[in-house]
Amino acid sequence: MTIRIIPDIAGRPVTGAPLPDVWARIGDWLQIHQRTIRTVQWGVVSVYAVLLIVPVLLPLPDRTAYLWSNLARFAQFVFWGIWWPFVLVGTALVGRMWCGLLCPEGSITEFASGHGLGKATPKWMTWPGWPTVAFASTTLYGQMTSVYQYPRPTLLILGGSTAAAALVGYLYGRNKRIWCRYLCPAGGVFALFAKIAPLHFRVEPALWQRSQLAREKPGPVNCAPLVPLRTMRGGSDCHMCGRCSGFRGAIRLARRSPNHEIVHVAGQTAKPWETVLIVFGLMGLALGAFQWSASPWFVAAKQWAATRLAEAGILWPLDATAPWWALTNYPDRNDVLTLLDGTLLVAYVVTVALASGAATLLMLLVSERCLGKWNPSRFHHLAQALIPLAGAGVFLGLSSLTIGQLRSDGIPVPFVGETRAVLLAMATLWSAVLSWQITALYTTRRARRVLALFAFCAAMAPANTGWFLLFAAW
Ligand code: SF4
């Protein structure tokens, strides 16, 4: 390894640091150009505000509106056809750079925190279940109000989240991102996806110690999402903002195997709420949310319930509607959910989440027990191996909105079915490989590992079946 003297963040020399490669130089570039990054962030905030607010002031687009000729259609395409699916892919490729460099909510909450009351974060806010609860609530509420189709629920959900981010920033922390760290509805999902990113900010403990022994006193680093720099081992919580690049000559942007964090770090850091988010959230609730409108089971359940209600003379649930902010209600677009529709929608999504999640959890449990006595941390570690499949499913679900919008505007999108099949197959294989590598950490007995792998593959069956039904069978 080439050794040379490089300056630390405060310009002091740190001896023994490795020569920066292209990635380390990119990290240093981010660290040096924080002012430019902030300017870009405010540009994103401006575009975000326009796309969020202006469509609400315009008439609803009719059938002759295209995404290139109507701002409301364009905004819906940007938010749900591009932003969500490709931010998820971006996070899996380069970590949470979206969060650290571009996210408007992150910028706003940090700005508010710099000019706010600076109170200490309350204990209830640090409960690790909030990201999972927030993800589940916003997903379900989004379906009830047709957030992917209409500007008003988009403003309500995204704008409400942004307002909450600003308020939390104003109240808590000083120049910090308390909202992003503990409450953001997308934060839990991003934290999972970042684990498979082949880029991260790596901390070299030996170089850190050497810098301390040399009594170097570098200037402080403001890590807005409150990552403990010295002990950081993975990219899950890091927003990739680059501010710590070069700190004590021990932190640098570096490549890694996309399997590394899940196999070698997640065993110590995996949390039960992450398992819930993966198994019941991404492989259950998200599946139900994308499925219900295409499901023949939903139609059959609705017909059955309507018939029973009519026979009992209870007709009001078949006619009663709710305001647009509670249930989809656009009569001039022939798009109205009755109370019966809304109740069945929620029941369908929750049932799929529970059924698919429970089946997955059960087989994961069997897989864990194949390795020996019950070990909760090993169980949660194995659940982390599901991240590639869980992520691929959500990406395919979201990208179906992209494809639907493009096709409705007459833009052909070829090889969709084949691409979906290949992506799901590759993600399934990747998850299986991860589980195989994880089992090697816990036992050397091959027979146990093979049995665990079989059970793990069975744990992937419910989600794969659900996506197959949606994309191929229905
Ligand atoms: S650890 Fe903190 S300061 Fe360093 S890149 Fe990540 S978010 Fe930024």
Side-chain angles (χ1 to χ4, degrees):
M1 183 188 290
T2 314
I3 302 294
R4 70 168 202 185
I5 296 175
I6 61 171
D8 75 358
I9 212 161
R12 299 183 181 88
V14 173
T15 54
L19 188 70
D21 61 8
V22 63
W23 299 110
R25 282 203 292 271
I26 291 172
D28 291 343
W29 188 93
L30 293 174
Q31 192 263 318
I32 292 163
H33 293 87
Q34 287 295 311
R35 195 183 287 264
T36 311
I37 290 169
R38 253 185 293 286
T39 308
V40 173
Q41 284 173 334
W42 286 112
V44 175
V45 170
S46 312
V47 173
Y48 173 71
V50 169
L51 293 181
L52 203 55
I53 296 166
V54 175
V56 175
L57 309 174
L58 301 173
L60 277 178
D62 57 23
R63 291 189 191 284
T64 59
Y66 294 96
L67 61 91
W68 54 85
S69 64
N70 182 285
L71 186 67
R73 289 266 348 258
F74 177 73
Q76 292 305 101
F77 183 70
V78 169
F79 281 131
W80 308 115
I82 297 178
W83 177 52
W84 250 113
F86 290 100
V87 165
L88 290 181
V89 171
T91 305
L93 290 176
V94 293
R96 299 178 66 172
M97 280 197 180
W98 164 263
C99 299
L101 305 181
L102 298 171
C103 177
E105 280 191 9
S107 317
I108 289 170
T109 198
E110 189 176 342
F111 176 79
S113 172
H115 297 80
L117 304 181
K119 292 187 190 178
T121 311
K123 186 123 184 68
W124 64 265
M125 204 174 269
T126 62
W127 181 56
W130 285 128
T132 305
V133 171
F135 169 79
S137 322
T138 46
T139 302
L140 205 50
Y141 184 57
Q143 292 303 307
M144 290 163 63
T145 53
S146 297
V147 69
Y148 300 141
Q149 279 84 41
Y150 298 105
R152 283 190 294 189
T154 302
L155 175 62
L156 189 63
I157 292 178
L158 295 183
S161 172
T162 306
L167 180 66
V168 169
Y170 181 76
L171 293 175
Y172 305 113
R174 181 62 69 203
N175 295 310
K176 293 290 181 275
R177 295 184 173 205
I178 305 295
W179 169 262
C180 312
R181 182 80 166 96
Y182 298 114
L183 300 174
C184 173
V189 180
F190 291 155
L192 293 176
F193 278 47
K195 294 188 189 200
I196 53 175
L199 274 182
H200 72 147
F201 275 94
R202 179 181 298 161
V203 184
E204 303 282 359
L207 293 176
W208 188 293
Q209 201 177 17
R210 189 182 304 190
S211 157
Q212 282 186 316
L213 289 174
R215 298 189 185 285
E216 287 162 357
K217 294 197 183 339
V221 174
N222 174 31
C223 176
L226 304 161
V227 182
L229 296 184
R230 184 174 187 172
T231 54
M232 175 170 70
R233 290 192 59 206
S236 193
D237 295 326
C238 168
H239 284 198
M240 304 289 277
C241 69
R243 292 176 202 172
C244 63
S245 184
F247 186 68
R248 288 191 179 276
I251 303 181
R252 64 195 171 95
L253 186 63
R255 274 187 306 130
R256 64 176 179 176
S257 157
N259 292 1
H260 176 82
E261 184 164 346
I262 288 183
V263 177
H264 298 291
V265 180
Q268 293 97 54
T269 57
K271 304 163 193 124
W273 276 106
E274 288 188 337
T275 303
V276 175
L277 182 57
I278 295 167
V279 172
F280 287 97
L282 302 180
M283 297 174 77
L285 195 87
L287 179 61
F290 287 115
Q291 240 187 23
W292 71 270
S293 57
S295 169
W297 299 336
F298 178 80
V299 176
K302 190 175 150 182
Q303 280 170 351
W304 179 86
T307 309
R308 296 289 89 77
L309 285 168
E311 283 170 0
I314 307 169
L315 297 179
W316 62 266
L318 280 63
D319 294 324
T321 56
W324 64 267
W325 44 264
L327 275 179
T328 306
N329 193 345
Y330 301 90
D332 48 341
R333 291 285 175 278
N334 285 326
D335 193 4
V336 178
L337 289 180
T338 63
L339 285 191
L340 177 66
D341 295 329
T343 309
L344 286 174
L345 181 168
V346 173
Y348 184 92
V349 175
V350 171
T351 304
V352 170
L354 293 178
S356 173
T360 305
L361 205 68
L362 182 70
M363 292 319 298
L364 207 57
L365 207 62
V366 173
S367 176
E368 195 279 332
R369 290 309 306 272
C370 289
L371 299 172
K373 279 195 196 149
W374 166 243
N375 176 344
S377 64
R378 184 172 62 198
F379 173 74
H380 295 303
H381 195 182
L382 266 179
Q384 300 270 317
L386 292 167
I387 289 174
L389 177 60
V394 173
F395 171 73
L396 289 179
L398 287 166
S399 64
S400 67
L401 305 171
T402 322
I403 293 161
Q405 290 187 350
L406 288 174
R407 282 181 172 166
S408 73
D409 283 357
I411 300 171
V413 187
F415 305 116
V416 171
E418 294 84 345
T419 309
R420 283 172 176 158
V422 169
L423 269 178
L424 274 180
M426 282 170 51
T428 304
L429 185 66
W430 186 359
S431 284
V433 168
L434 283 170
S435 81
W436 180 251
Q437 292 180 346
I438 289 171
T439 58
L441 302 178
Y442 295 99
T443 182
T444 51
R445 294 173 64 178
R446 212 171 181 79
R448 278 184 179 275
R449 291 180 63 200
V450 171
L451 283 175
L453 179 63
F454 274 123
F456 184 87
C457 290
M460 295 191 281
N464 269 328
T465 308
W467 294 118
F468 169 78
L469 288 173
L470 175 60
F471 292 135
W474 290 341

